[in-house]
Amino acid sequence: MILLDGKKTSADIKDEIAIEVSKLKEQGKKTPHLAAILVGDDGASRTYVNAKVKACEKVGFASTLVKLNATISEAELLAEIEALNINDDVDGFIVQLPLPKHIDEQKVLMAVSPNKDVDGFHPENVGKMTLNLPTFLPATPAGILELLERYEIETSGKNVVVIGRSHIVGSPMSILMAQKRTVGNATVTLTHSRTKDLESITKEADIIVVALGVAEFLKGDMVKDGVVIIDVGITRVDDSSKKSGFRLLGDVHFESVAPKASYITPVPGGVGPMTIAMLMKNTLLARAQNEA
Ligand code: BQF
């Protein structure tokens, strides 16, 4: 069993991006600038946004964090988005999810200018992704592709099973893995809460991407020997022995699955850090496209 080290791989990618940024600066070109909008004070969301700001510092990007009160109206949030859309100094921005319940997420994602949409969530960019046209790929699926590529894991002709159909991970992951691309050409099965006899499907899988948000859902008796496991879950569970007061659990029951796996992502330190690195990559791309 080989651990897919997302922490190390993401550090490598950030080093590569930092070199590109130094080159831009040497050439007297503009520094890439990522902005993030954080609505409310959800603890996990704050952690994610802080990780993104820190990554910007690491690669040499400028960053702006726009913090808004949880009680902000949808109209006021849309006005903040428009301000970033028309701010020529900002190359790309994200609206940290999840949003408070009184705000229509789809309306918000559609307000982000597609050429600044470094999360790749705007319908125009989802459409481009689906057609395999150049666009910003959503960071988590892109991070998984990058991890598979760097570990030289063959995907062509393999049976890939994706568990979970979210717009952020499961759905785009299933689309990308089926496409004709370097990491792709797989036979993909997208499974979800209404899937019948999931175990009979996962047992045939060469690669399983688990992204349903249920801690330790996938057990060892659901997979075959040699399977490649990509665990996207990150559920916080109370743990008084930790400084933070919690620890993270994946969607995979690591103890029973890992012994059967050829490759497996740990939680933490697997897919999560790759997500951040790919957001940096998309921001560098956004800057390049503004230059052109
Ligand atoms: C790690 C996210 C659910 C809902 C909204 C590193 C992250 C996570 C884990 C991180 C996530 C998850 C992010 C680790 C960003 C990934 O070491 O294992 C980094 O910051 N993520 C997000 O922005 O919004 C989410 C999960």
Side-chain angles (χ1 to χ4, degrees):
M1 182 270 289
I2 296 173
L3 276 181
L4 295 168
D5 190 343
K7 198 170 169 171
K8 165 73 166 67
T9 308
S10 69
D12 291 345
I13 294 166
K14 284 185 277 184
D15 287 344
E16 292 160 18
I17 294 171
I19 290 168
E20 296 304 312
V21 174
S22 317
K23 285 184 197 160
L24 291 177
K25 289 177 183 174
E26 272 168 32
Q27 294 164 7
K29 298 213 172 113
K30 192 189 158 293
T31 302
H33 182 174
L34 174 69
I37 298 179
L38 174 62
V39 183
D41 59 357
D42 173 70
S45 292
R46 245 184 3 223
T47 304
Y48 300 145
V49 162
N50 289 342
K52 292 168 190 180
V53 169
K54 214 178 106 197
C56 284
E57 287 164 10
K58 181 90 175 53
V59 300
F61 290 175
S63 67
T64 300
L65 176 53
V66 181
K67 285 187 188 178
L68 303 172
N69 202 284
T71 58
I72 192 172
S73 71
E74 188 178 276
E76 285 170 310
L77 175 56
L78 293 173
E80 294 284 351
I81 289 169
E82 191 50 24
L84 293 176
N85 282 340
I86 63 173
N87 183 343
D88 286 336
D89 193 51
V90 170
D91 295 298
F93 68 97
I94 63 149
V95 181
Q96 182 62 47
L97 302 179
L99 289 166
K101 282 174 289 293
H102 65 279
I103 293 169
D104 181 345
E105 200 166 282
Q106 199 51 50
K107 216 162 157 182
V108 165
L109 299 181
M110 286 178 68
V112 176
S113 175
N115 63 342
K116 294 193 178 189
D117 173 35
V118 287
D119 261 341
F121 293 161
H122 189 285
E124 182 177 315
N125 290 328
V126 176
K128 285 181 173 174
M129 177 204 68
T130 301
L131 294 169
N132 204 358
L133 296 169
T135 186
F136 301 111
L137 294 185
T140 301
I144 294 168
L145 296 184
E146 192 79 30
L147 209 49
L148 293 169
E149 182 170 0
R150 290 186 184 231
Y151 277 86
E152 297 181 52
I153 294 169
E154 182 65 68
T155 60
S156 182
K158 301 294 181 184
N159 287 333
V160 172
V161 172
V162 178
I163 307 177
R165 57 180 155 185
S166 76
H167 294 163
I168 293 172
V169 184
S171 169
M173 195 66 224
S174 67
I175 291 165
L176 292 164
M177 288 298 282
Q179 285 176 349
K180 202 174 278 187
R181 49 166 69 240
T182 312
V183 178
N185 295 303
T187 304
V188 180
T189 305
L190 180 59
T191 68
H192 47 74
S193 52
R194 303 289 181 94
T195 296
K196 288 179 195 160
D197 196 8
L198 177 65
E199 192 172 320
S200 71
I201 298 168
T202 55
K203 273 182 169 154
E204 295 299 317
D206 300 306
I207 302 173
I208 308 179
V209 178
V210 200
L212 78 166
V214 177
E216 300 184 320
F217 173 82
L218 189 79
K219 307 281 201 290
D221 59 7
M222 298 170 73
V223 307
K224 70 176 182 186
D225 276 314
V227 68
V228 175
I229 299 289
I230 307 293
D231 188 350
V232 187
I234 35 152
T235 302
R236 288 181 170 196
V237 293
D238 291 341
D239 185 341
S240 56
S241 76
K242 299 275 179 184
K243 191 170 55 174
S244 61
F246 65 86
R247 67 197 159 92
L248 296 177
L249 283 184
D251 288 352
V252 174
H253 187 255
F254 193 88
E255 191 185 291
S256 60
V257 174
K260 301 182 81 174
S262 55
Y263 296 88
I264 185 167
T265 58
V267 175
V271 173
M274 294 300 294
T275 299
I276 307 281
M278 298 320 280
L279 177 63
M280 300 301 116
K281 210 169 165 181
N282 278 346
T283 304
L284 185 65
L285 188 67
R287 175 83 282 279
Q289 280 162 359
N290 289 340
E291 193 68 34

